[in-house]
Amino acid sequence: MSPLSPPANSPPLGLPPSNQTVDVKVIDSTARIRVPMTAFVKDQIPGHEFLECPSYTFLVEHISGQKVLFDLGVRKDINGFPPVVLNVIKNNIGMTVENDIATILENEGTIKVKDINAIIWSHWHMDHSGDPSTFPSTTSLVVGPGFKENMLPGYPINPMGRILESDYQGRELCEIDFESRKLQIGRFRAFDYFGDGSFYLLDSPGHTVGHMCALARTTPSTFIFMGGDACHHCGSLRPTEYIPLPNEISPSPFSIPRYAPNSTCPGTLLEEIHPHRSRVTPFYTGLAPAPDRNVEEAEKSLNKMADFDASEDVFVAIAHDSSLLDIIDFFPKKVNDWKEKGWKEASRWRFLEDFHKAVPSSTL
């Protein structure tokens, strides 16, 4: 069978055909995070000083009955992080969380923590790793390449450890080997998690060691791309030559009241606040250096993700995209019908609201 044909005006992705799908549910982890934009991008847009965002978790349910979680958000007991992580939170990050993912699942009632076969970490950072110890030992922990070599042992065996021994103690710790399968989707090395084309893990290094994205088939021809921290703000992802700034956006992301249905924003105004006065270059074009970050590799992974964002059959959801909060349906509802509901179009330019301080007041 030949790969599915890409939509017009987008890069070829080489998506293997399959009739097997997974149900995907997006969980708002209840975490709310405030971090300076300078932690992520080289040149912040004036007035956009902070990333204020949620942290999403994805529940993936396979026809076999297997259930996996892609990321865990923030642990409820924030003081339970290792000391080196607590120091970062204290000095750089504002963070609150109401419930951990295990509690959210149990409170909803239809899924128990014992039903979760695996937790997949996009990466080990505090706003994605959660608290695996709230899940039984039958739940395995799945991590990306290089994790074991670089991250073990955890705290307290290693006083400078950035994860906890209790995150993986007593449970199977599986490190994905992308090299063994020789599978590629788009420009990513890929791993067919269930072996039937319904759910793939994607090797997306750079943000930190072992970073992975995921691609879930929601219908035979549509997908949700779980971007983790391949980028933190959609201004690093759009516009591109495949998704240029339109001549007009309606409703306007700068309207008062918010998103008034009849409001419009001319594309020329967006060009004026764009650092490069461009309609085909992302607003943020450079990632900031950081201790765990390989900027060159991270930018390559971001560019690979942009190929998927260009496809009308792929809905890209990065972990901290606050513009999705009032667009998509959250757990316990499924998001498989995202295309039918028009979420990609509705959310595509919502991130521009974060640049409202850069817009001359006379134009609002």
Side-chain angles (χ1 to χ4, degrees), residues 19 35 55 121-122 129 155 167 171 173 175 211 216 226 234 251 255 260 298 314 333:
N19 288 320
V35 189
S55 183
W121 278 353
S122 67
S129 57
Y155 180 85
D167 289 339
R171 70 181 71 248
L173 179 62
E175 185 174 292
H211 187 278
M226 305 168 197
C234 289
S255 63
V314 182
K333 294 181 179 180

Side-chain angles (χ1 to χ4, degrees), residues 312-338:
E312 292 303 312
D313 291 328
V314 182
F315 183 44
V316 172
I318 57 176
H320 304 300
D321 185 1
S322 59
S323 65
L324 298 182
L325 284 170
D326 62 351
I327 294 285
I328 70 173
D329 295 330
F330 285 97
F331 176 81
K333 294 181 179 180
K334 296 190 296 186
V335 294
N336 289 51
D337 54 356
W338 64 265

Side-chain angles (χ1 to χ4, degrees), residues 144-153 175 209:
F147 177 89
K148 292 182 179 180
E149 178 182 353
N150 288 275
M151 300 304 299
L152 304 186
E175 185 174 292
V209 64

Side-chain angles (χ1 to χ4, degrees), residues 176-178 180-181 183 189-193 199-202:
I176 297 296
D177 179 7
F178 287 99
S180 63
R181 301 296 177 93
L183 176 63
R189 295 196 302 174
F191 184 90
D192 189 345
Y193 189 85
F199 182 59
Y200 301 95
L201 298 180
L202 306 175

Side-chain angles (χ1 to χ4, degrees), residues 72 75 100-103 106 113-114 119 130-136 166 171:
L72 282 186
R75 62 183 296 132
D100 55 39
I101 297 301
T103 301
E106 292 283 348
V113 293
K114 65 180 179 62
I119 296 161
D131 186 358
S133 71
T134 57
F135 290 80
S166 60
R171 70 181 71 248

Side-chain angles (χ1 to χ4, degrees), residues 1-6 13-19 184 200 217 220-221 223:
M1 298 178 72
S2 61
L4 296 171
S5 299
L13 299 177
L15 295 165
S18 174
N19 288 320
Q184 183 165 314
Y200 301 95
R217 191 183 299 265
S221 60
F223 301 80

Side-chain angles (χ1 to χ4, degrees), residues 170-287:
R171 70 181 71 248
E172 184 180 16
L173 179 62
C174 305
E175 185 174 292
I176 297 296
D177 179 7
F178 287 99
E179 188 63 30
S180 63
R181 301 296 177 93
K182 303 296 184 182
L183 176 63
Q184 183 165 314
I185 299 180
R187 291 184 284 157
F188 288 108
R189 295 196 302 174
F191 184 90
D192 189 345
Y193 189 85
F194 294 116
D196 60 4
S198 62
F199 182 59
Y200 301 95
L201 298 180
L202 306 175
D203 186 21
S204 48
H207 177 62
T208 193
V209 64
H211 187 278
M212 298 186 293
C213 297
L215 184 69
R217 191 183 299 265
T218 47
T219 72
S221 60
T222 64
F223 301 80
I224 285 186
F225 188 107
M226 305 168 197
D229 278 357
C231 74
H232 292 78
H233 189 270
C234 289
S236 294
L237 189 59
R238 303 177 197 122
T240 65
E241 61 179 305
Y242 302 108
I243 310 175
L245 282 175
N247 293 327
E248 185 179 86
I249 295 176
S250 181
S252 170
F254 309 123
S255 63
I256 301 172
R258 191 176 185 219
Y259 307 130
N262 297 322
S263 62
T264 60
C265 175
T268 52
L269 174 60
L270 300 174
E271 278 189 271
E272 288 177 15
I273 66 173
H274 193 296
H276 305 289
R277 302 296 190 268
S278 171
R279 290 198 179 195
V280 295
T281 304
F283 281 83
Y284 288 126
T285 54
L287 299 178

